[in-house]
Amino acid sequence: MDDCEVTNWDSGIVVYEYPGSSIDATVVNCNIHDNISYGLSTNAATTVTATCNWWGDDSGPNIAGNPSPGDNISTGATYAPWLDAVNGACVMYGDNNVSVGDAALCLTPTNTCVTIPVTFNRLDTTASRGVSVTFQLSPELVLCTGVPSTSITMATGWAAGAADSPT
């Protein structure tokens, strides 16, 4: 499948392998979103290639190891990198990515400071000791008063002995 719109189904794409058969499936450059149970479901013994697809959220599909509000995807498919928007770029999100939380937060005259959660997702299980992320504000914005706050939660894929030590 290439360049398809798959939306508003129970299971958007089903790759079903009948007993005694084999299937080789590839799903790329598709907009897969707003499906009820799964954006992609498979029982195939061979891994389904499902890269460079839009899953309804810039954090990719919802699957173990990549919790996301995007469409669910069953195990048995490669999904990274994925598109960063409908018909977007496939280079933005690969094994490691930074995603910004609730983009609906707005600055107003009565709400002059907002907290924006940023998540660094490590899908690569190779041990790592650290990560560096640079934030840049547009010229129209400034940091709120007070001490900027960061919090890091250690998860799988970090080297033994790594600690929460933001700088």
Side-chain angles (χ1 to χ4, degrees):
M1 272 180 85
D2 187 1
D3 198 26
C4 295
E5 182 80 21
V6 182
T7 185
N8 296 314
W9 294 91
D10 179 47
S11 289
I13 300 168
V14 177
V15 179
Y16 185 81
E17 188 173 272
Y18 288 95
S21 66
S22 66
I23 190 166
D24 183 19
T26 302
V27 179
V28 294
N29 301 314
C30 294
N31 296 321
I32 305 165
H33 57 93
D34 297 320
N35 295 291
I36 298 166
S37 295
Y38 285 95
L40 176 99
S41 175
T42 182
N43 74 336
T46 305
T47 301
V48 175
T49 301
T51 57
C52 297
N53 294 299
W54 169 247
W55 298 99
D57 191 84
D58 64 4
S59 60
N62 183 36
I63 188 170
N66 190 57
S68 164
D71 270 21
N72 294 323
I73 183 173
S74 65
T75 58
T78 57
Y79 56 88
W82 53 80
L83 298 180
D84 60 354
V86 173
N87 299 318
C90 187
V91 296
M92 186 171 181
Y93 295 102
D95 285 343
N96 300 317
N97 68 77
V98 175
S99 59
V100 178
D102 191 354
L105 297 171
C106 293
L107 295 173
T108 66
T110 57
N111 187 26
T112 58
C113 276
V114 295
T115 299
I116 301 173
V118 177
T119 304
F120 181 76
N121 301 301
R122 286 202 79 233
L123 302 179
D124 179 354
T125 58
T126 305
S128 176
R129 290 209 174 269
V131 61
S132 174
V133 178
T134 302
F135 302 92
Q136 182 176 354
L137 296 175
S138 73
E140 295 83 22
L141 299 174
V142 295
L143 287 176
C144 294
T145 58
V147 178
S149 171
T150 59
S151 175
I152 299 173
T153 302
M154 303 311 293
T156 60
W158 296 97
D164 179 348
S165 57
T167 57

